[in-house]
Amino acid sequence: MIEFKNVKKVYPGGNVALHDVSLKIDKGEFVFVLGHSGAGKSTFLKLILHEEEATEGSVIVNDYDLSAIKNRDIPYMRRSLGVVFQDFRLIPTMTAYDNVAFAMRVTNTPEKEIRKRVPYVLGLVGLAEKARSYPPELSGGEQQRISLARALVHSPPIIIADEPTGNIDPELSVEIMELLTAINKVGVTVVVVTHEQDLAARFHKRTIYIDKGQVIADTQGDTLSSPSHAMEVAK
Ligand code: ADP
């Protein structure tokens, strides 16, 4: 669960990236967070990951109140979020297997468990046969799926995908979205952060529109006319 209560974020120098944002994303939801460049999407993501702190208001992630979180709880909070970054953030000198295993090794998971779990999550994203490949040998779509496998390795209740269609071919974007939909069907909350209005419109899911640091609309997927209207207004 993610909750923003009257969140304001002002960067040093005075740039106000978010003004008074309040929203709640419940367990099991599939949500698009949509906005133009500069709208505040990255700031929204950084606040959730605790890479930045809110200037005012509170951000609650999986029962952790980030304005009061203890340093020792931060790794646990982060592990409760699986993030697929736009640039994938894979280590090029490690195989696909080791990239995923690395996320478990840093938490001191026993190798025996790693040997079971890594092939399983690589299988979930359809890349079991690429376990020994290095990221530079894989297509963008495959690298992204490795990144998704790594995000899934600790069975997080929430998966966040940052611009999942930004660095891959359009036909592969359908594939990653279908994987995210399948993951959501088994109860994982999915948050897709994107500037692509068409992507959000195709999937008929809840869409939260951010513009100039504010939530300007929050629609359920079946209200088809309002999304484009909100984006038009935001231009
Ligand atoms: P988006 O991800 O939607 O493009 P951002 O969250 O990156 O939007 O940016 C929102 C606003 O905050 C922009 O006006 C941007 O210039 C400003 N901003 C973002 N990061 C910083 C920063 N580190 N320092 C100062 N201003 C920033």
Side-chain angles (χ1 to χ4, degrees):
M1 191 271 289
I2 295 171
E3 188 170 8
F4 276 51
K5 287 188 202 164
N6 305 106
V7 173
K8 183 171 184 181
K9 173 65 187 175
V10 185
Y11 283 106
N15 259 355
V16 185
L18 295 180
H19 305 258
D20 197 24
V21 169
S22 294
L23 57 87
K24 193 170 175 188
I25 298 172
D26 282 316
K27 192 175 176 318
E29 282 197 85
F30 190 121
V31 181
F32 285 98
V33 174
L34 181 65
H36 297 297
S37 172
K41 303 181 298 297
S42 307
T43 301
F44 171 77
L45 196 57
K46 284 177 182 164
L47 289 171
I48 292 171
L49 299 177
H50 203 51
E51 287 176 7
E52 291 286 350
E53 280 187 59
T55 312
E56 282 173 27
S58 54
V59 177
I60 298 157
V61 173
N62 290 329
D63 296 332
Y64 294 100
D65 180 343
L66 303 191
S67 52
I69 194 168
K70 297 191 175 70
N71 282 342
R72 64 164 188 269
D73 286 334
I74 293 172
Y76 297 100
M77 183 282 293
R78 290 233 174 100
R79 238 170 277 159
S80 76
L81 296 168
V83 186
V84 184
F85 292 99
Q86 185 174 8
D87 55 3
F88 318 136
R89 300 198 188 172
L90 299 173
I91 299 164
T93 54
M94 280 186 189
T95 61
Y97 179 98
D98 283 325
N99 264 283
V100 179
F102 184 66
M104 300 186 82
R105 292 186 178 127
V106 295
T107 60
N108 295 320
T109 311
E111 279 296 321
K112 196 174 161 214
E113 212 173 297
I114 293 175
R115 280 197 294 272
K116 264 197 254 166
R117 181 79 183 154
V118 175
Y120 174 72
V121 290
L122 286 175
L124 283 182
V125 299
L127 284 182
E129 78 285 6
K130 299 283 184 179
R132 289 167 192 274
S133 302
Y134 290 86
E137 300 164 354
L138 298 169
S139 71
E142 287 169 338
Q143 290 182 48
Q144 185 177 48
R145 283 188 280 153
I146 302 292
S147 173
L148 176 60
R150 184 184 54 191
L152 289 168
V153 87
H154 292 296
S155 304
I158 302 178
I159 287 282
I160 301 176
D162 182 21
E163 298 284 2
T165 57
N167 276 328
I168 55 171
D169 295 339
E171 61 269 29
L172 292 175
S173 67
V174 174
E175 207 168 90
I176 192 77
M177 292 306 297
E178 280 171 356
L179 274 172
L180 291 170
T181 305
I183 289 162
N184 175 247
K185 286 220 170 88
V186 297
V188 178
T189 308
V190 174
V191 180
V192 175
V193 178
T194 185
H195 70 280
E196 281 196 61
Q197 190 189 343
D198 292 350
L199 184 72
R202 267 210 312 275
F203 285 85
H204 304 181
K205 305 282 189 191
R206 179 181 170 195
T207 303
I208 298 170
Y209 301 87
I210 302 185
D211 185 55
K212 300 187 185 81
Q214 278 172 316
V215 174
I216 56 161
D218 186 343
T219 64
Q220 288 304 324
D222 41 10
T223 41
L224 285 176
S225 57
S226 42
S228 48
H229 176 66
M231 286 295 275
E232 285 306 316
V233 170
K235 268 182 187 159

